[in-house]
Amino acid sequence: MADRLRLRHSLRRYHIWLGWLIGVPMLFWTLSGVVMVWKPIEEVRGTALLADPAPFELATAPIAPRVEGRGLKSLTIEPRAPGPRWVLRFADGGSRLADPASGQLLPGYSAADAAREVTARYKGTAKVASVTRTDPDKPPLDLRKPIATWQVAMSDGTHFYVDAANGEVVARRTRFWRFYDWMWGLHIMDLQTREDTHNPWIIVFGVATLMTTFLALVLLPLTIKRRNKP
């Protein structure tokens, strides 16, 4: 009997200390989870902020661009604000634009081109506040893609990222998306990259939470028996 009491007392003490240990991360997990389901994911991503590219027709048969010395991964004609463009994606990861009417290679996008690409399809009411070139080696945290882009910042805090080489809008980030992303980092306990769901912190606290739950399940029948004992 005394051994059982000592065991119950030890288990309860461990359960209490583990409960204090996981209390803060449990609060963060719950809070961040509530924030992440607060709005529909389409609204968070800004899906409705840009219209789909308008259909296009070519006046003449397209002339394929001539590329020498670089292997092509794909060659497609895609709509852009100035009109249809060949989009050349190379095997080494780069890309270029070309004019389908002449096959001539075109230069990359300028800041004005990037702003035009966004405003041509933008469905909101905000205005372009700034256009900034990003470094592919140090991309912004809300982009996290190693490509050179133009960040088109709107007056309401929304960011659009336009590929500087081929004019594709590769990301759209609302102000709430960035807060959502921060909460996601808090949820997985990785505020630095916000991508590592297998980091040591979440593993340790996950195991601690599992142990706390297991101890609670062990203590429950022991506590019921004690209360029912005359």
Side-chain angles (χ1 to χ4, degrees), residues 124-145:
T125 58
K127 305 298 182 181
V128 175
S130 64
V131 182
T132 309
R133 185 65 175 260
T134 67
D135 185 349
D137 295 326
K138 297 179 180 179
L141 189 59
D142 61 346
L143 176 61
R144 297 202 286 275
K145 293 181 180 179

Side-chain angles (χ1 to χ4, degrees), residues 69-150:
R70 297 183 71 180
L72 274 178
K73 181 180 179 181
S74 65
L75 177 63
T76 57
I77 296 181
E78 300 179 10
R80 294 291 185 265
R85 293 289 183 264
W86 282 114
V87 180
L88 298 81
R89 292 182 172 87
F90 300 103
D92 61 9
S95 61
R96 286 289 300 272
L97 290 178
D99 185 354
S102 63
Q104 182 179 359
L105 293 177
L106 300 174
Y109 263 41
S110 66
D113 294 331
R116 181 184 178 186
E117 194 66 44
V118 170
T119 54
R121 295 168 52 193
Y122 185 59
K123 297 169 65 176
T125 58
K127 305 298 182 181
V128 175
S130 64
V131 182
T132 309
R133 185 65 175 260
T134 67
D135 185 349
D137 295 326
K138 297 179 180 179
L141 189 59
D142 61 346
L143 176 61
R144 297 202 286 275
K145 293 181 180 179
I147 57 176
T149 67
W150 289 102

Side-chain angles (χ1 to χ4, degrees), residues 3 19 24 30 53 80 82 108 111 137 149 151 189 193 196-197 200 210 212 216:
D3 292 339
V24 173
T30 305
R80 294 291 185 265
D137 295 326
T149 67
Q151 181 199 75
M189 297 187 176
T193 67
D196 187 4
T197 58
L210 182 62
T212 305

Side-chain angles (χ1 to χ4, degrees), residues 25-217:
M26 284 294 292
L27 175 62
F28 288 159
W29 286 337
T30 305
L31 175 62
S32 57
V34 170
V35 169
M36 287 189 292
V37 299
W38 190 263
K39 288 187 176 183
I41 192 61
E42 293 79 12
E43 183 178 347
V44 173
R45 292 172 176 169
T47 303
L49 290 178
L50 290 183
D52 293 332
F56 63 88
E57 292 184 2
L58 298 176
T60 59
I63 300 175
R66 295 183 62 182
V67 181
E68 298 179 358
R70 297 183 71 180
L72 274 178
K73 181 180 179 181
S74 65
L75 177 63
T76 57
I77 296 181
E78 300 179 10
R80 294 291 185 265
R85 293 289 183 264
W86 282 114
V87 180
L88 298 81
R89 292 182 172 87
F90 300 103
D92 61 9
S95 61
R96 286 289 300 272
L97 290 178
D99 185 354
S102 63
Q104 182 179 359
L105 293 177
L106 300 174
Y109 263 41
S110 66
D113 294 331
R116 181 184 178 186
E117 194 66 44
V118 170
T119 54
R121 295 168 52 193
Y122 185 59
K123 297 169 65 176
T125 58
K127 305 298 182 181
V128 175
S130 64
V131 182
T132 309
R133 185 65 175 260
T134 67
D135 185 349
D137 295 326
K138 297 179 180 179
L141 189 59
D142 61 346
L143 176 61
R144 297 202 286 275
K145 293 181 180 179
I147 57 176
T149 67
W150 289 102
Q151 181 199 75
V152 181
M154 310 301 288
S155 57
D156 64 353
T158 301
H159 293 168
F160 295 99
Y161 289 94
V162 181
D163 191 311
N166 61 42
E168 179 185 2
V169 180
V170 295
R172 59 193 86 182
R173 304 294 188 238
T174 64
R175 178 176 293 174
F176 188 81
W177 187 98
R178 294 194 292 279
F179 179 62
Y180 177 101
D181 188 51
W182 188 84
M183 281 292 176
W184 166 249
L186 187 65
H187 196 73
I188 65 172
M189 297 187 176
D190 177 23
L191 289 174
Q192 186 172 4
T193 67
R194 302 176 191 174
E195 293 184 350
D196 187 4
T197 58
H198 194 67
N199 65 79
W201 286 109
I202 197 168
I203 293 174
V204 168
F205 282 111
V207 171
T209 303
L210 182 62
M211 292 175 61
T212 305
T213 305
F214 178 74
L215 284 175
L217 294 175

